[in-house]
């Protein structure tokens, strides 16, 4: 086997800190704060990027961030996500006093049923904000024994919602959470049960166990990639 030596050089970094506030301006603890590259139009939100939690006084800090133009995004289970103004970092000068104020979040609840109208327990319900990104922030929960589910702290924006059971999924539905009142009558029916099956073989025609098979849409056929993000 060929072995290659790769050197990874760490650049300079400086401390960056701030505070998360609730809608009334009070310190908010337990918010997850992550840093995003402001120069990237569609940041890869599904990657393991740096994040910290705000303390009891709402404070958060990163020990050493490099140079760049970034923003800080705060998420909390009870409030809508919020972000700071863009911040220019030089990797040498510490920055402090960055404020992130969250907004009141939307709440939704509903039930997942099968084609016969019976509640589906332990179905996965996923929700994501409608954005141009192909890797949006996705939240998910599971239904209880009666098929019920609920979300809190959602953005006041358009979102997409889908339910996934063991052998079927629901249609993707669109919700506008910009309305002030919560949505509590969502009914998701898991009745989409199309199936593709086949066999994976080697170049010699021998079956290959353990292979991963992925299905994805082709834009040339008019399929909407947005419908596959959840």
């Amino acid at each position: 086997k060929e072995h290659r030596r790769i050197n990874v050089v760490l650049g300079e970094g400086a401390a960056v800190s701030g505070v998360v506030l609730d809608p009334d301006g009070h310190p908010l603890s337990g918010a997850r704060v992550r840093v995003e590259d402001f120069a990237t139009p569609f940041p890869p939100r599904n990657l393991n990027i740096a994040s910290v939690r705000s303390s009891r006084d709402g404070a958060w800090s990163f020990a050493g961030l490099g140079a760049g133009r970034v923003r800080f995004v705060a998420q909390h289970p009870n409030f809508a996500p919020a972000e700071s103004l863009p911040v220019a970092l030089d990797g040498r000068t510490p920055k402090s006093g960055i404020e992130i104020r969250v907004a009141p979040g939307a709440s939704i609840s509903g039930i997942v049923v099968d084609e016969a109208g019976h509640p589906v327990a332990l179905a996965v319900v996923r929700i994501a904000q409608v954005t141009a990104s192909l890797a949006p922030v996705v939240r998910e929960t599971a239904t209880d024994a009666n098929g019920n589910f609920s979300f809190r702290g959602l953005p006041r924006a358009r979102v997409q919602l889908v339910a996934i059971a063991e052998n079927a999924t629901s249609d993707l539905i669109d919700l506008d959470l910009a309305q002030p009142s919560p949505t509590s009558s969502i009914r998701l029916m898991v009745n989409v049960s199309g199936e593709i099956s086949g066999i994976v073989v080697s170049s010699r025609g021998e079956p290959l166990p353990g292979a991963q098979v992925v299905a994805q849409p082709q834009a040339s056929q008019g399929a909407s990639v947005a419908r596959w993000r959840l």
Side-chain angles (χ1 to χ4, degrees):
K1 295 182 180 179
E2 179 184 357
H3 294 272
R4 299 172 58 189
R5 182 180 181 86
I6 300 176
N7 294 325
V8 179
V9 179
L10 300 180
E12 291 184 290
V16 181
S17 62
V19 64
V20 180
L21 304 176
D22 67 15
D24 297 323
H26 301 136
L28 181 64
S29 65
R32 183 170 72 91
V33 180
R34 70 176 187 271
V35 57
E36 291 185 352
D37 182 2
F38 188 75
T40 303
F42 306 120
R45 297 172 183 262
N46 59 330
L47 297 182
N48 292 323
I49 54 180
S51 66
V52 295
R53 292 277 181 182
S54 62
S55 60
R56 294 182 59 183
D57 58 357
W60 55 268
S61 64
F62 291 91
L65 295 181
R69 189 170 173 81
V70 301
R71 60 186 165 197
F72 298 91
V73 180
Q75 289 180 286
H76 190 279
N78 298 330
F79 300 96
E83 61 187 40
S84 71
L85 294 174
V87 180
L89 305 176
D90 60 13
R92 299 184 304 273
T93 308
K95 290 273 188 178
S96 62
I98 300 174
E99 181 180 298
I100 310 174
R101 180 174 296 203
V102 298
S107 299
I108 64 172
S109 60
I111 187 171
V112 176
V113 298
D114 60 20
E115 290 188 275
H118 301 140
V120 179
L122 299 180
V124 174
V125 182
R126 292 178 178 168
I127 190 168
Q129 185 175 346
V130 177
T131 67
S133 172
L134 295 181
V137 175
V138 176
R139 291 180 56 182
E140 68 176 43
T141 188
T143 58
D144 61 17
N146 299 314
N148 297 312
F149 69 90
S150 64
F151 288 96
R152 296 184 301 164
L154 296 173
R156 295 281 183 180
R158 286 182 59 226
V159 297
Q160 293 175 322
L161 188 70
V162 68
I164 304 171
E166 183 176 2
N167 298 314
T169 66
S170 71
D171 281 325
L172 194 71
I173 66 170
D174 290 275
L175 298 174
D176 185 2
L177 300 184
Q179 306 300 323
S181 58
T183 303
S184 58
S185 58
I186 301 172
R187 182 181 174 92
L188 297 174
M189 179 179 292
V190 285
N191 58 356
V192 181
S193 57
E195 180 179 307
I196 302 174
S197 62
I199 185 172
V200 179
V201 299
S202 68
S203 58
R204 295 189 296 271
E206 300 170 344
L208 289 178
Q212 181 179 10
V213 180
V214 178
Q216 61 185 23
Q218 294 185 11
S220 60
Q221 296 181 354
S224 172
V225 177
R227 293 182 60 85
W228 288 67
R229 298 181 304 175
L230 292 178

